[in-house]
Amino acid sequence: MSLLKCLVFSWLLLCTPIILNVSAQTTCSHQEQLRLREVVANTKFHYELELYEWNYGFDIHISNFSDDIYVMFPDVSMQKRYADEKKLSTIPGFIPAQNYKVSFFASEQTSCPDFRILTKYIKTPHFNHYSNHPLCEGYENSPLCQKHSNIYLVIRDEGDFVSRMNSYIESLKDEDLEDDEKTEQSYDFVSNLLIFLSTYNLYIFVPIIFLGTGGIIYIQFKNRGDIL
């Protein structure tokens, strides 16, 4: 009898995890998994530039969050992040222009605790460190000074940046000089025209008045002749 009891006990030990696993799978239904995927699909990522102790980086804000999910960043060993009172999850310290994998899991409040719902892939925006350079003051619209432009494809170092910015600033000055010259030429033309008209107005307007008056008289006599 003791041998039989041992066999029965051993069978129960072996089968219990299987029974529990089947029970867990039954509780986390396919319908619940679809609902959780829909919750994750509604989340949106927003990036906020921040100056940390080590350098510039981004805070990632995940909106439309829910108490039914939590998020992890496996690439950076990020711990679980849950929604706050505003249904928002904020994670700091991400490097610009980097790819990250974001895994969403079901929270303990659901019937699928720790179930991996899906994984999203994101890339943080570029950050142009030269946008804070003194030469960019007043020229923020320059392609070389835009905060999120990827100028490192064309800029080798700071000396190259300074050279290109100085050329850009000089080109704007040349354009301003050309505009001033065009304005001055236009002003000179109008001024000369007015001076000419005021000087020779008798020679211009008297013949015009004489010819106009004669034309009117001629038309009147012609109309009278047609009537008679």
Side-chain angles (χ1 to χ4, degrees):
M1 290 296 293
S2 59
L3 179 60
L4 181 59
K5 287 182 180 180
C6 289
L7 291 174
V8 172
F9 181 72
S10 300
W11 181 84
L12 288 174
L13 287 176
L14 291 173
C15 293
T16 299
I18 299 174
I19 294 172
L20 291 175
N21 188 38
V22 171
S23 176
Q25 291 181 357
T26 303
T27 304
C28 184
S29 65
H30 180 66
Q31 183 177 0
E32 175 67 359
Q33 294 176 23
L34 290 177
R35 185 189 72 82
L36 291 169
R37 287 193 179 94
E38 185 176 353
V39 171
V40 173
N42 289 329
T43 58
K44 297 184 183 300
F45 293 86
H46 308 276
Y47 308 94
E48 184 177 2
L49 184 66
E50 294 287 348
L51 178 59
Y52 304 111
E53 292 182 359
W54 44 271
N55 210 330
Y56 279 93
F58 288 95
D59 284 357
I60 294 181
H61 305 285
I62 310 177
S63 60
N64 295 338
F65 225 71
S66 167
D67 294 333
D68 291 338
I69 60 176
Y70 66 86
V71 66
M72 294 184 69
F73 288 77
D75 295 338
V76 292
S77 302
M78 188 67 66
Q79 297 178 349
K80 297 179 182 179
R81 292 283 179 159
Y82 293 88
D84 60 16
E85 63 277 3
K86 297 180 180 179
K87 302 300 180 185
L88 184 74
S89 183
T90 299
I91 308 100
F94 288 89
I95 300 173
Q98 293 293 316
N99 295 308
Y100 292 98
K101 182 167 63 174
V102 190
S103 296
F104 290 86
F105 294 86
S107 70
E108 294 78 4
Q109 298 189 26
T110 68
S111 56
C112 304
D114 299 324
F115 168 73
R116 185 193 293 269
I117 304 167
L118 60 82
T119 298
K120 290 186 177 184
Y121 296 87
I122 62 172
K123 184 176 182 178
T124 51
H126 291 277
F127 174 66
N128 174 16
H129 290 80
Y130 293 116
S131 62
N132 294 322
H133 196 280
L135 280 176
C136 285
E137 187 175 351
Y139 300 98
E140 289 79 5
N141 292 329
S142 165
L144 297 176
C145 294
Q146 309 247 334
K147 280 191 177 296
H148 300 298
S149 62
N150 184 18
I151 68 169
Y152 301 104
L153 295 175
V154 294
I155 298 296
R156 296 187 303 273
D157 50 33
E158 185 175 2
D160 187 22
F161 169 79
V162 171
S163 175
R164 289 173 183 262
M165 271 304 297
N166 284 330
S167 298
Y168 173 79
I169 294 171
E170 288 300 320
S171 69
L172 292 181
K173 291 180 180 178
D174 292 340
E175 289 180 4
D176 291 339
L177 287 175
E178 290 179 3
D179 291 340
D180 290 341
E181 288 177 0
K182 290 179 181 178
T183 303
E184 185 175 352
Q185 290 173 1
S186 176
Y187 174 78
D188 289 343
F189 173 77
V190 174
S191 298
N192 292 332
L193 179 60
L194 292 174
I195 292 172
F196 176 80
L197 293 176
S198 63
T199 304
Y200 299 100
N201 56 359
L202 292 177
Y203 301 98
I204 296 173
F205 293 111
V206 170
I208 293 175
I209 295 172
F210 177 77
L211 291 174
T213 304
I216 293 172
I217 295 173
Y218 171 77
I219 293 172
Q220 288 178 348
F221 276 108
K222 187 175 181 302
N223 289 336
R224 290 179 181 177
D226 292 339
I227 295 173
L228 294 175

